[in-house]
Amino acid sequence: MSSNQSFKNENEEAYASLTKGLKELDLQGPYVPSDLVLIGDHAFPLAMNSRGQVLMAASLYGSGRIVVLGHEGYLTAFPALVENAVTWLRGDGSDNLSVGVQRNVCAVADRKDFKDDLELLLKGVSEFNLPSDSVFSEVLVHGPLAFPIGTTEDGCPFLAGAYYGRGRVIVVTHEMGSLQSMAPFWRNAIHWLDEGRRGVVGVMVNPALKVLSESGLKCEKTNFRKDLSVFVCKAYITEHLEEIQNFVAEGGGLLIGGHAWHWAQTHAGQNPLTDFSVNKMLNQMGLSLLGATIRSGTYKALVPSWPIKDTYHFRHLLYRFVAHVTTGEELSKHEEGCLQKLGSDCDAYLHTKAHGSFYYTQVLAALTDILMSSSFKVSDSCPAKTPKDKLLLSVGSPVYKFCPNPEALLPYLIKDNPLMPDVHNHRLKIDVNTEDGKEWISTGLYLSPGMSTYMVMPAETVNKHWKIQIGCQTDDLHRKDELKRPPRVCERFPVTSEMMHVSNLWGGLIYLVAPPNTQVKGLEITVQKAVTAPYYKSGVTTAAEWSLLRTAPGPWAELEFENIVLTVPSDAVRGLEHPDKVAALWDEIMRAIADLAAKPHKFPRKERFVTDVQISAGWMHSGYPIMAHHASAAEVVDVKKGKQMWGPIHELGHNQQRSCWEFRPHTTDCTCNLWSVYVHEEVLGLNRAQVEYRQTKCWWLTNRT
């Protein structure tokens, strides 16, 4: 290779490193740069204007490197470029992590100090009163130039601001019409957004017009216009989003209010971070409305300081945590207490899928690096207890899902992952008849941790609210003090094409999730590869088939009867020779439950019962599925009559309750026991005096006539 060719390759690699994650640089700001002249053989331009003048450049010089920007203002105007530059200037393989910053450009190290902004915005504001008739969303503050303005005591923001391009934005997570008590703040906010221009404030929100008019600025009711100084609108706006984004980037102010929790509740299976229309704009500004809610109440205003003491800030704490893991830097007690929230926010942020953003790439790379440098294993006997370990465990799945090379990460996350024999091009035929609720349809197949497969789906399921689900354990354990398994191990994939590619870091049984009010017969699905799991279905699986299936290698087993499906560890059924006897008992139990509920013996949707190493609440809890601990597995597959099954029947009773019967919360954990008493006496043959009524809370349940 010639020396010229070598120089060319080096320059191309350097240029790629310096511009990584950058799509464009907005050079229309107030800075007047110098025109750089390139005279060295190893110098190359980074940015040029339309007249061919070089405004930024870099060069290799001897064994060193240099980057030159045509104006000192570019050091803070383009933080992503500066971070790339610092990384490139350190060189490949350098162990020296220190970077010296001249005192008069210390903003390069801090990036942005929001102390002055908070002082202006919170002038005369001592607290925020969130009224009880309003439910706020939480806002994720993730941009390098974004900051919280109003938060709960535990750091959940409901009000935040950001710089974007040459403009500014403030987001409040409810419509502004219901927040008259915050009038002093709105006046401050409008002036901060106007930046002294004293221009026209365009307001789309009628109730806000009166309050904002008291700011002293000219406010008028109008739709979006480019000649405005500040635009005020609700977060449910769907028109002109790109124009509004450009308006802010070019120097305008935006005040936007609204929540995402209702949208999230009414768009099941969709991701508010990517599918809620206004988030497509706000994500670019470093702010995202979440489906999580904020409780009403009165919250003290923040103390204007930076870093904001005793207040949670996503990006600041993330960098502190990375330093804690990689270099052993100590975290404060407050920071340690915020790590659970940091894990949830990392999960949410990664789901923005903003792969074209430098900052997203940076966060993803940092989390990938610390996962690959950490060693942890979680189990019933070795739970994750420290905030650090719980955070690492919670981010494993989203990092694996969104990182560029998940195969390289897998060995660090899953230890001792045995290869299991699998089946290829396995065909299934299913009949579906759902009523009001969605229903899981078992396939009898399992995916190993990190294993992926293709599924060929019928055309009539595509974009019709069908889903593929990997995993039976749907409980979210993020709020647990210790973790015996990762907090979220179930993955769902909306069926959007006939050829679906699915996987789950933690593995799991494969299900189809049918939407409500669906009636189809003979749907054929093909699974490219999977692991066979023990699966018995009443009236379908023969005794000969079960003798082989009960030894299938999948670690989860399912017994599907007339009105209930039991999902237990496979070890619980390896020695089960007569599943038909278990079916007979459960059919009798479920018919008795139907009798007491005064409804037909055939349930509109089969109940599901899943045992797990750890669940979200109690020893068991009701729902679809009912969740219980592993210790209950042997109990539910035992066919002996005369034994107690108070817990499972108690939860099945919860599923029969109707709100019109109840005096909540006084009878919620009481009337469900009618089914426990009835089933134990009428089916299991136990007199009430023989049964330990562990859950009974009303005297009349054990003294009824």
Side-chain angles (χ1 to χ4, degrees), residues 296-358:
S296 60
T298 300
Y299 300 103
K300 290 182 180 179
L302 301 178
V303 176
S305 60
W306 189 259
I308 304 174
K309 293 180 181 177
D310 301 323
T311 300
Y312 171 84
H313 188 276
F314 169 68
R315 188 167 291 273
H316 174 71
L317 183 56
L318 176 60
Y319 291 146
R320 292 278 296 127
F321 179 71
V322 171
H324 172 64
V325 174
T326 56
T327 65
E329 285 189 23
E330 290 293 321
L331 297 176
S332 69
K333 286 194 175 296
H334 169 71
E335 289 172 326
E336 220 175 57
C338 290
L339 291 185
Q340 178 177 297
K341 177 168 173 52
L342 178 63
S344 297
D345 284 353
C346 285
D347 189 347
Y349 179 62
L350 292 177
H351 277 83
T352 63
K353 304 177 186 177
H355 292 282
S357 162
F358 168 83

Side-chain angles (χ1 to χ4, degrees), residues 11 21-22 152 195 229 269 295 297 319 343 376 385 396 437 460 463 466 478 559 584 649 661 675:
N11 288 354
L22 300 174
T152 62
E195 296 188 68
S229 175
R295 65 188 182 279
Y319 291 146
F376 57 90
K385 295 181 178 180
E460 53 264 54
N463 295 320
W466 284 75
H478 272 106
L559 305 175
I649 310 304
W661 307 342
W675 279 269

